[in-house]
Amino acid sequence: MTTLKSKLHEDLNAAIKERDELRSSTLRLTLAAITKEEVAGKEKRELSDDEVLKVITKEAKKRREAADAFAQGGRPESAEREKAEGELLATYLPKQLSDEELEGIVAQAVSEAKAGGAEGPRAMGAVMKIVNPKVAGLAEGGRVAAVVKKHLAG
């Protein structure tokens, strides 16, 4: 069975052979982040695919934030580069939930939380507890929280 990490290595080797600078540098940085995570604890260990996904998600988020910062700072070519790297990393992640799918999951969680007696500000935590396991890796935390707030304000 191929691990996600070995897939990244294979893709990196292919990118180097094809002289695809964007892919090879993005994958190199991502693999470095994975290795850093593997040696971070008391002893070196192999990350699970889920943990590797978390690293890729974090890296993709960094690229999106950097792209926004560059765009606002009037550096469109740097913004484009970061955006391209982010999109490349996104291909390794599970497909993100659409707004409609996320709205549906949140709406259901809100009614579950209310049925459980959670009202007002306390409801936010209760709803997030129900929603988070269902959307883990499929929607970014900030996006989820915004939809939950909107539903609770509703």
Side-chain angles (χ1 to χ4, degrees):
M1 197 189 103
T2 316
T3 64
L4 184 53
K5 185 179 165 190
S6 56
K7 168 129 180 62
L8 290 170
H9 274 292
E10 284 164 23
D11 291 353
L12 172 60
N13 290 334
I16 292 169
K17 279 188 191 121
E18 293 159 18
R19 298 185 188 283
D20 183 337
E21 192 276 328
L22 175 79
R23 268 180 65 211
S24 59
S25 83
T26 305
L27 292 174
R28 217 177 252 124
L29 286 167
T30 304
L31 283 161
I34 292 168
T35 303
K36 189 175 150 200
E37 197 60 34
E38 288 180 332
V39 297
K42 284 187 169 58
E43 50 194 64
K44 188 176 185 322
R45 63 198 182 89
E46 192 74 25
L47 293 186
S48 71
D49 277 359
D50 279 346
E51 292 169 312
V52 170
L53 276 176
K54 281 196 183 103
V55 173
I56 297 173
T57 303
K58 215 170 14 190
E59 290 294 308
K61 185 179 178 192
K62 274 187 208 163
R63 300 305 190 292
R64 274 198 308 278
E65 289 169 353
D68 291 344
F70 281 133
Q72 285 163 4
R75 296 183 47 202
E77 61 296 326
S78 299
E80 278 307 307
R81 166 78 188 205
E82 294 289 336
K83 204 172 148 220
E85 290 184 6
E87 284 165 6
L88 193 152
L89 290 173
T91 63
Y92 292 95
L93 298 171
K95 192 174 157 329
Q96 295 291 292
L97 292 171
S98 70
D99 290 342
E100 293 76 42
E101 291 168 315
L102 184 57
E103 290 276 348
I105 292 170
V106 169
Q108 193 188 344
V110 167
S111 52
E112 264 178 61
K114 283 191 173 145
E119 290 293 331
R122 275 209 340 266
M124 181 81 185
V127 173
M128 291 301 278
K129 265 197 198 94
I130 300 169
V131 172
N132 278 337
K134 294 181 183 170
V135 300
L138 304 175
E140 211 170 79
R143 195 176 145 218
V144 176
V147 174
V148 170
K149 279 191 186 111
K150 192 182 89 183
H151 273 267
L152 290 174

